[in-house]
Amino acid sequence: MKYVPTNLHHRYIFFTGKGGVGKTSVACSTAIALANQGKKVLLISTDPASNLDDLFETKIHREPTPISGVSGLYAANLDPEQAARDYRDQVIGPYRDVLPQEAIQQIEEQLSGACTVEIAAFDEFTKLISANENEYDHIVFDTAPTGHTLRLLQLPKAWTGFMDTNIHGASCLGPLSGLSAKQEMYAKTVEALSDSSQTILILVARPERTALQEAARASVELQELSITNQHLIINGVLKRQTDDPNAQAFSDRQEASLANIPSELISLPQYEVPLKPYSVTGLNLLQRFLDPKEDTLLNHNTEQVEELNLQNLSSLLDNLTTKPSGVIMTMGKGGVGKTTVAAALAIGLASRGHRVHLTTTDPAAHLSLALGDDIKEMSPLLQVSRIDPKLETARYSSEIIGMNVDHLDEEGLELLKEDLASPCTEEIAVFRAFARIVEEADHGFVVMDTAPTGHTLLLLDAAEAYHREVQRSIGNIPDSVRNLLPRLRNPEETHVVIVTLPEATPVMEAERLQKDLQRAEIESDWWVVNQSWQDIETTEPVLQNRALAENQWIHKVTALSKHTALVPWKATEPTGWRQLEKLTQH
């Protein structure tokens, strides 16, 4: 079904979905279409990867900025990181002259996680809503708050200062008491989100398995909070114009993903947006983005794809095998191909005679699909294990709750349980499990698919060093974790491989990840640009132009990394020992 943004009549229009699916493009084009109908529209973005300044080619501030060329359209570009810094200053201010500097540093790190950024961004959004709710016909919000954030804001105990005296909890949000005066304003905003007459939530996904799974997870989380007026947009569907075999294969993979759409999404109203042959920047392209008739005008380009002559996974493997052992961590956002790269490197190492322990936090079915069923027959040198995030988080949460059950009342325990349900807690629990595996590996390589972020590493390190000086801690630190942190900071022992796609959002998110790691004194030598069309011969106009659009992002990656490996798009997803081994061969 075609998506027609002018059919939307709701005051609040939320867009959500995993990074790189096109939320910002869809949100901006929706806002433009509504403004062109004579409505007064405010577009708010809290996604740091979606630069409204570039999209609209004008400087947009935290306060509503009129968009030149579109009468009635205003935009506010909220910087979540700046909002988080302001929030941290607000919370930490009273303690700066009271606690030692080391203690202040730990609290700052406790407030450096994604959850704090999201709370701070929601605070900024709520202020804009309260100040402008009667001024605009529509308020379009790019990147909706998660179910975790909304649940936390609904817990009354979160506003009492409980977190200031919690000596064993695993909080990544830090004290909310700094925002207690806004509790009523927050409650009003959360109530508006669940009002179907005022609010519509639009889930955006690509026709890819991981993006659809993420949309399904968000849908369930938000439905549980009575945000039930949900719609689904599938962005980037290839409408073939030729019989090109690579285009056919690309289309077949999309159709297979859509044929197996998660059951949670089947009942939602569903719309498709065609794959575009260009990067969406500038008012002209934003106007055209949701009009398929315009695409034919942009499909023909006489430019040639630049020959970049980058290295491949074989070169990366050559670099790794200059030493007999080490820890290899593949990192990056969901959907960029970390599991495939990690499995290929593990198989490549085993094929060269090294002992390898490949461990992952991805669901077991995904790893089995990538590796096939013949691992033991192919090489006795490769051991595969899976860290179950849910199991590890449950084990860790039980430990923390057990340490607090005698100190807290019922409301306090409910808050602690919700705080332990945050992504930061899972990351810490998974990291502890990873530490156990590395400690057991005396010889050979350990390859980890989906590694912890720099924030988690600093959080664990700070808690170990300063827990006696501050009245908050993330719990006891096992010896395996204490011993592992110095090892991860040693470039002779640990190799971080950042995986990305040659597109705007994945590259920007990977850049932030690298900076996060550098704060934790961990350097990444290699970046892998996955699923590139640079070396693929195709006569399909859309795919030809996408190959051209990749150039600027690949150049950005080469500027950010010491070494860059390019992995071409494959007609069939690499699965099984033989296909994965080919990725690492010359």
Side-chain angles (χ1 to χ4, degrees):
M1 183 163 40
K2 181 181 177 182
Y3 173 60
V4 183
T6 52
N7 289 343
L8 299 175
H9 61 273
H10 305 82
R11 178 182 293 275
Y12 305 118
I13 305 168
F14 285 79
F15 291 90
T16 191
K18 73 193 301 292
V21 296
K23 292 187 305 292
T24 302
S25 298
V26 175
C28 291
S29 297
T30 296
I32 290 171
L34 291 170
N36 286 340
Q37 294 293 310
K39 304 294 182 62
K40 189 173 183 181
V41 182
L42 173 61
L43 170 65
I44 302 174
S45 176
T46 63
D47 187 346
S50 58
N51 193 331
L52 292 187
D53 293 43
D54 290 339
L55 285 174
F56 285 111
E57 298 176 330
T58 187
K59 183 64 177 175
I60 296 173
H61 305 281
R62 294 170 72 173
E63 298 299 321
T65 304
I67 300 300
S68 177
V70 186
S71 177
L73 178 60
Y74 297 78
N77 199 13
L78 304 186
D79 181 349
E81 298 292 345
Q82 182 59 50
R85 284 192 290 270
D86 294 344
Y87 172 53
R88 284 195 292 272
D89 289 341
Q90 183 179 354
V91 171
I92 296 170
Y95 303 103
R96 288 201 182 276
D97 297 328
V98 178
L99 295 177
Q101 180 60 31
E102 292 84 355
I104 294 296
Q105 288 174 354
Q106 189 202 3
I107 296 177
E108 288 176 338
E109 187 53 45
Q110 290 273 0
L111 291 167
S112 294
C115 305
T116 302
V117 172
E118 191 171 356
I119 285 286
F122 187 80
D123 177 53
E124 291 284 295
F125 163 69
T126 301
K127 286 190 289 189
L128 273 175
I129 289 286
S130 299
N132 300 287
E133 61 179 338
N134 297 319
E135 187 173 344
Y136 297 93
D137 298 302
H138 302 284
I139 298 181
V140 180
F141 189 44
D142 172 29
T143 307
T146 67
H148 166 68
T149 299
L150 298 178
R151 283 196 308 273
L152 189 70
L153 292 172
Q154 290 175 333
L155 289 170
K157 198 71 174 181
W159 307 95
T160 66
F162 155 81
M163 303 308 293
D164 289 325
T165 57
N166 172 23
I167 61 173
H168 295 299
S171 170
C172 69
L173 289 177
L176 287 177
S177 56
L179 300 176
S180 59
K182 303 173 183 178
Q183 184 176 2
E184 184 177 347
M185 183 172 68
Y186 280 19
K188 184 179 178 182
T189 301
V190 173
E191 183 181 352
L193 295 182
S194 60
D195 183 350
S196 296
S197 66
Q198 293 191 75
T199 299
I200 182 172
L201 179 82
I202 299 177
L203 300 154
V204 184
R206 295 272 188 186
E208 300 164 2
R209 174 177 49 82
T210 54
L212 291 167
Q213 288 174 339
E214 180 71 21
R217 187 159 49 246
S219 174
V220 171
E221 250 197 343
L222 295 167
Q223 282 193 27
E224 289 173 351
L225 292 164
S226 301
I227 302 176
T228 57
N229 187 16
Q230 300 182 6
H231 291 229
L232 175 66
I233 289 180
I234 307 294
N235 182 37
V237 179
L238 177 63
K239 304 296 184 183
R240 287 191 302 118
Q241 302 176 41
T242 70
D243 293 327
D244 176 70
N246 283 317
Q248 179 68 57
F250 186 82
S251 182
D252 288 346
R253 284 178 59 172
Q254 290 192 338
E255 290 175 5
S257 296
L258 293 174
N260 294 284
I261 191 169
S263 57
E264 296 89 348
L265 302 175
I266 290 175
S267 62
L268 301 183
Q270 188 178 131
Y271 312 92
E272 288 188 358
V273 174
L275 181 68
K276 305 301 177 182
Y278 50 84
S279 295
V280 184
T281 55
L283 191 58
N284 182 41
L285 293 181
L286 285 170
Q287 297 266 21
R288 297 179 174 191
F289 180 69
L290 295 176
D291 187 353
K293 293 182 297 184
E294 297 287 349
D295 290 347
T296 56
L297 302 176
L298 302 164
N299 281 343
H300 304 288
N301 198 319
T302 58
E303 292 182 57
Q304 297 295 313
V305 176
E306 180 181 354
E307 291 189 15
L308 298 172
N309 297 318
L310 296 177
Q311 300 178 86
N312 52 30
L313 286 187
S314 176
S315 302
L316 169 54
L317 205 58
D318 290 342
N319 180 264
L320 294 174
T321 52
T322 57
K323 299 180 180 66
S325 62
V327 178
I328 301 165
M329 302 193 296
T330 60
M331 304 184 72
K333 292 299 182 182
V336 297
K338 294 188 303 296
T339 300
T340 298
V341 172
L345 291 175
I347 288 173
L349 288 165
S351 297
R352 297 188 182 195
H354 296 276
R355 288 183 56 190
V356 186
H357 186 165
L358 170 63
T359 185
T360 181
T361 59
D362 263 6
H366 298 170
L367 189 58
S368 298
L369 181 63
L371 293 173
D373 299 324
D374 52 358
I375 296 302
K376 291 184 179 178
E377 288 74 14
M378 298 303 295
S379 175
L381 294 174
L382 178 60
Q383 176 188 355
V384 180
S385 68
R386 182 199 170 215
I387 297 172
D388 186 331
K390 294 187 182 303
L391 180 63
E392 296 296 338
T393 302
R395 182 183 298 158
Y396 178 62
S397 297
S398 295
E399 177 186 333
I400 298 298
I401 291 170
M403 296 166 66
N404 283 275
V405 68
D406 294 332
H407 313 299
L408 302 175
D409 59 18
E410 185 175 347
E411 280 190 319
L413 278 174
E414 283 301 309
L415 174 60
L416 179 58
K417 288 176 182 177
E418 175 56 37
D419 201 48
L420 286 166
S422 77
C424 301
T425 302
E426 179 177 297
E427 198 170 40
I428 290 170
V430 166
F431 181 68
R432 284 159 55 116
F434 172 52
R436 291 198 302 269
I437 290 174
V438 172
E439 192 176 46
E440 294 169 3
D442 296 326
H443 306 285
F445 288 90
V446 173
V447 180
M448 185 178 187
D449 165 34
T450 310
T453 66
H455 164 66
T456 299
L457 300 176
L458 283 172
L459 191 62
L460 289 163
D461 194 29
E464 167 61 17
Y466 306 128
H467 73 278
R468 298 178 188 275
E469 302 178 62
V470 71
Q471 293 189 347
R472 304 178 61 241
S473 171
I474 62 170
N476 297 323
I477 306 298
D479 288 341
S480 58
V481 172
R482 184 181 298 109
N483 297 335
L484 182 60
L485 286 171
R487 184 175 190 173
L488 296 184
R489 287 171 171 155
N490 183 354
E492 295 298 314
E493 296 185 82
T494 297
H495 312 278
V496 174
V497 179
I498 295 179
V499 185
T500 187
L501 300 177
E503 300 171 12
T505 299
V507 170
M508 290 179 182
E509 290 180 338
E511 182 181 12
R512 287 196 300 277
L513 172 61
Q514 180 167 268
K515 291 178 180 177
D516 194 26
L517 289 169
Q518 288 170 343
R519 288 193 308 121
E521 301 175 34
I522 295 176
E523 294 295 330
S524 57
D525 284 341
W526 282 85
W527 282 46
V528 173
V529 179
N530 197 25
Q531 299 181 35
S532 171
W533 285 89
Q534 293 292 298
D535 300 324
I536 306 297
E537 292 187 6
T538 177
T539 58
E540 185 69 32
V542 171
L543 299 181
Q544 287 179 331
N545 280 271
R546 288 190 68 82
L548 285 169
E550 289 180 2
N551 281 341
Q552 65 168 314
W553 302 111
I554 294 175
H555 278 299
K556 185 173 180 64
V557 168
T558 58
L560 290 168
S561 63
K562 296 178 182 177
H563 305 284
T564 304
L566 196 71
V567 179
W569 177 85
K570 301 293 182 183
T572 57
E573 188 172 357
T575 57
W577 182 283
R578 292 302 182 197
Q579 289 191 46
L580 288 167
E581 189 177 33
K582 287 179 181 178
L583 293 180
T584 60
Q585 293 176 338
H586 289 285

